[in-house]
Amino acid sequence: MSEVRRSGSGSYRPRSSWIKRTKREWKPLEDRSCTDLPWFLLFTLFLVGMCGICGFTIATGGAARLVFGYDSYGNTCGQRNEPIEGVRLSGLDHTDRKFVFFLDPCNIDIIQRKIKSMALCVSQCPTEELLTYYDLKRFAMMNGSELCSYELPGHKYPSLPERFDKCPKLPVPESKALPVFNRCTPVDISCYAKFAEAVVTFVSDNSMLNRLIAGVAASKEIIVGLCLLALVLSMILMVIIRYISAVLVWILTALVVLGSLGGTSVLWWLYIDYRMTMNETMTKDLTETEEPNGGMKPTKDHAQGLLIYAVSATVFTGILLLLMLFMRKRVALTIALFHVAGKVFIHLPLLALQPFCTFLALSLFWVYWIMVLLFLGTTGNPEKNEDTGLVEFRLSGALQYMTWYHAVGLIWISEFILACQQMTVAGAVVTYYFTRDKTKLPVTPILSSVLRLVRYHLGTVAKGSFIITLVKIPRLILMYIHNQLKGKENACARCMLKACICCLWCLEKCLNYLNQNAYAATAINSTSFCTSARDAFMILVENALRVATINTVGDFVLFLGKVLIVTCTAFAGVLALNYQRDYTEWVLPLIIVCLFAFLVAHCFLSIFEIVVDVLFLCFAIDTKYNNGTPGREFYMDKALMEFVENSRRSMAMEERGRSKRARPKEEVELTEVKAMAPGTSSA
């Protein structure tokens, strides 16, 4: 059984020929098999661990304490509690006391982000402002809700000496319970002024802040409409960018050439003008330019500095012009790929929904992750704080590593979701490219790609996302250390930290690009992650100049597309907001709209960038293993075929030119050989 393998058409062939075909010919969608199965099992076990953390917090009461709340003695509100050893007033029956009341709700610790106040379980939040202890007594007698500590009887509040420490701080503000979390929150949030001041310290004029907020509230309909406009413009641009890509590329080329030449010319003009001015000054009077501590050295240093800048700019401009001259033909490939990418979105319109699906998946996971993190904050063993005398729940021993496990899960699963998007897009584009008759495409190539991903390649995606996680975690740790040591470390340590962070960021970007191409190779040949990454890397190395051209020119064209969307949205926003005369401050709404427009444009054009990169990999494979002859026909689109034919014509013309130049030399050499041959002179 190990000597044969079943092909997609149902026939059998020797295993050796199958291995050779899989590694050499890159014929897609014929053989499918599960890739990186051990990594799929490892990722499944990791997910089980994430779910186990959630189950642990629910089983140990952390979720109940977060939702229903608990008092400072470790009792959960709204239920019967078990006594805690060493903690008085624990183990109380709070079935009728369902709300958490803070004795001093305005005492907020901004650094620790929590309320530093004793908490009690009460049956009702104060529905009015209570100014005196007699008001507290009256509220307790009328509503049965005692707002002082449990051991103090309500009818003795005004006369008890403990009232200053174990009763709420006067005046007690009117409060309402939060809808889900059952915390009594003051209706008047003015007591949070200090906290709000820390959040909005950049605002020096409260009236300006109020006017900005009023402008946002008054223009909410326009903001929503402009956000939808940005969404529509992004979707339209992905289709029409194939028609304007050539114009954008030549605009980019002209700007680069003019900018480099102009900058170099300005530097040389400044240098010449400075030298002429210095010479004139020296001719008039040398003593006028002398400095008390060094003569004319600063003047010469300035001139030398300008000369170095001018020479450096000249060298840079020369190299840049040579590169553009050498790579000018490869720019045509970028334009052709953009043209084909626009066709892909016409044939696969569901690609435009990928940003929505990814955003929805990430949002749901992040909500779940934050919820479990809050559960972890109220999970653990009850411990009495010796400073405050309040009971706090903390994880101890091996359980405290659950938070770190949960943090790693945030990074790995988020990267896994993004990798699933890349694999889905790559699978759909590969199906489109390697289907000769586009009328025979699957009804839903996107859905087919998702099914192939779920059935065969989840392990590959898990492995690729884990590699990114291994690089991202050290970078985040170094960023945290850098922020914590800000202002304390010396200049050398700060420079080293920033250098390490920068190197890890560059490594992460390179691995992201390689992973994306590895997913495309997996979608083509159904090989494991390492094999696909190696094959894709070899293809990219063989086409290094093309890759550089696409990544520079293509990325800048997409950046111009983002700028175009933001500019059009901002212009429409100015017209719409200026038309509304019932408010004067519309700067903040315009900023919100522009930020949203850039975010939407980035999400959609990132999908376009993935499509272009996958198309280039398919094109490179197609041109390497096919030549257009019968039996080895190209799969590529007409636009790419025209590029290949033009390249062949150029190469043929260059070959003919070289052969013509070499022919006279060969004739001379042949004549010399005949002259030196024996018997030639006697003839």
Side-chain angles (χ1 to χ4, degrees), residues 118-139:
M118 179 181 289
L120 300 172
C121 294
V122 298
S123 58
Q124 184 178 344
C125 299
T127 56
E128 57 181 340
E129 187 178 18
L130 306 178
L131 303 176
T132 64
Y133 291 105
Y134 289 99
D135 293 337
L136 290 176
K137 172 184 175 181
R138 176 175 53 83
F139 183 78

Side-chain angles (χ1 to χ4, degrees), residues 223 226 569-571 573-574 577 586-595:
I223 292 176
L226 291 173
T569 307
F571 180 72
V574 169
L577 294 170
W586 41 267
V587 176
L588 186 59
L590 196 61
I591 293 176
I592 293 174
V593 168
C594 290
L595 290 177

Side-chain angles (χ1 to χ4, degrees), residues 293-405:
N293 58 350
M296 294 181 295
K297 287 185 178 180
T299 303
K300 291 182 178 179
D301 291 342
H302 294 164
Q304 290 177 356
L306 284 174
L307 179 60
I308 292 174
Y309 293 149
V311 172
S312 301
T314 303
V315 173
F316 173 78
T317 302
I319 294 175
L320 183 64
L321 293 177
L322 288 176
L323 285 175
M324 296 186 67
L325 181 65
F326 186 66
M327 299 172 64
R328 69 188 188 279
K329 296 180 180 180
R330 292 170 177 83
V331 174
L333 175 60
T334 305
I335 298 174
L337 288 174
F338 273 63
H339 186 83
V340 178
K343 289 184 178 181
V344 171
F345 279 94
I346 293 177
H347 286 87
L348 310 177
L350 291 181
L351 278 177
L353 298 180
Q354 285 301 302
F356 296 106
C357 298
T358 305
F359 178 76
L360 179 61
L362 286 174
S363 300
L364 293 176
F365 169 68
W366 288 341
V367 168
Y368 166 81
W369 187 88
I370 293 173
M371 180 184 66
V372 176
L373 182 65
L374 295 175
F375 289 170
L376 284 172
T378 55
T379 301
N381 300 319
E383 297 180 3
K384 188 175 182 179
N385 192 321
E386 299 298 334
D387 297 331
T388 62
L390 308 179
V391 175
E392 299 176 354
F393 291 89
R394 296 177 181 175
L395 294 171
S396 59
L399 297 178
Q400 61 185 341
Y401 295 106
M402 289 195 301
T403 305
W404 292 101
Y405 187 95

Side-chain angles (χ1 to χ4, degrees), residues 110-360:
I110 299 177
I111 298 177
Q112 299 295 329
R113 297 177 296 277
K114 64 180 181 179
I115 298 177
K116 296 174 60 177
S117 170
M118 179 181 289
L120 300 172
C121 294
V122 298
S123 58
Q124 184 178 344
C125 299
T127 56
E128 57 181 340
E129 187 178 18
L130 306 178
L131 303 176
T132 64
Y133 291 105
Y134 289 99
D135 293 337
L136 290 176
K137 172 184 175 181
R138 176 175 53 83
F139 183 78
M141 301 304 292
M142 292 180 61
N143 300 290
S145 182
E146 298 178 350
L147 302 182
C148 295
S149 186
Y150 304 131
E151 72 270 21
L152 303 181
H155 62 281
K156 294 183 179 181
Y157 284 168
S159 59
L160 292 174
E162 299 92 341
R163 67 182 182 274
F164 299 106
D165 298 328
K166 298 184 178 181
C167 286
K169 183 180 179 180
L170 297 178
V172 179
E174 178 185 356
S175 303
K176 286 186 178 180
L178 292 176
V180 178
F181 294 99
N182 299 326
R183 268 71 169 180
C184 294
T185 307
V187 175
D188 183 10
I189 60 174
S190 60
C191 68
Y192 299 133
K194 186 180 295 186
F195 180 75
E197 182 181 354
V199 177
V200 291
T201 51
F202 65 93
V203 180
S204 58
D205 187 5
N206 290 332
S207 61
M208 175 63 71
L209 177 63
N210 293 331
R211 280 157 52 190
L212 290 175
I213 295 175
V216 173
S219 58
K220 54 183 180 296
E221 295 86 0
I222 296 178
I223 292 176
V224 173
L226 291 173
C227 291
L228 292 176
L229 175 64
L231 183 64
V232 173
L233 288 176
S234 300
M235 298 176 69
I236 294 175
L237 182 62
M238 288 194 302
V239 177
I240 68 171
I241 197 171
R242 60 176 176 148
Y243 300 110
I244 64 175
S245 58
V247 177
L248 293 178
V249 167
W250 293 120
I251 289 176
L252 166 63
T253 304
L255 289 176
V256 170
V257 171
L258 293 177
S260 58
L261 291 176
T264 304
S265 302
V266 169
L267 286 173
W268 278 112
W269 177 79
L270 289 175
Y271 170 72
I272 295 173
D273 181 69
Y274 197 87
R275 286 300 302 266
M276 292 177 63
T277 304
M278 186 178 64
N279 292 334
E280 291 176 359
T281 305
M282 292 176 62
T283 302
K284 291 180 180 179
D285 189 4
L286 293 175
T287 60
E288 294 181 2
T289 60
E290 293 181 354
E291 297 292 333
N293 58 350
M296 294 181 295
K297 287 185 178 180
T299 303
K300 291 182 178 179
D301 291 342
H302 294 164
Q304 290 177 356
L306 284 174
L307 179 60
I308 292 174
Y309 293 149
V311 172
S312 301
T314 303
V315 173
F316 173 78
T317 302
I319 294 175
L320 183 64
L321 293 177
L322 288 176
L323 285 175
M324 296 186 67
L325 181 65
F326 186 66
M327 299 172 64
R328 69 188 188 279
K329 296 180 180 180
R330 292 170 177 83
V331 174
L333 175 60
T334 305
I335 298 174
L337 288 174
F338 273 63
H339 186 83
V340 178
K343 289 184 178 181
V344 171
F345 279 94
I346 293 177
H347 286 87
L348 310 177
L350 291 181
L351 278 177
L353 298 180
Q354 285 301 302
F356 296 106
C357 298
T358 305
F359 178 76
L360 179 61

Side-chain angles (χ1 to χ4, degrees), residues 480-493:
Y480 175 78
I481 294 174
H482 182 265
N483 291 330
Q484 293 297 313
L485 298 179
K486 187 172 292 184
K488 300 178 182 179
E489 78 278 12
N490 56 33
C492 182

Side-chain angles (χ1 to χ4, degrees), residues 25 94 108 183 192 200 235 269 305 354 399 417 472 498 502 527 656 662 681:
E25 296 187 12
H94 285 337
I108 299 177
R183 268 71 169 180
Y192 299 133
V200 291
M235 298 176 69
W269 177 79
Q354 285 301 302
L399 297 178
I417 294 173
K472 189 182 287 288
K498 289 184 177 179
C502 181
T527 50
R656 285 197 296 269
S681 57

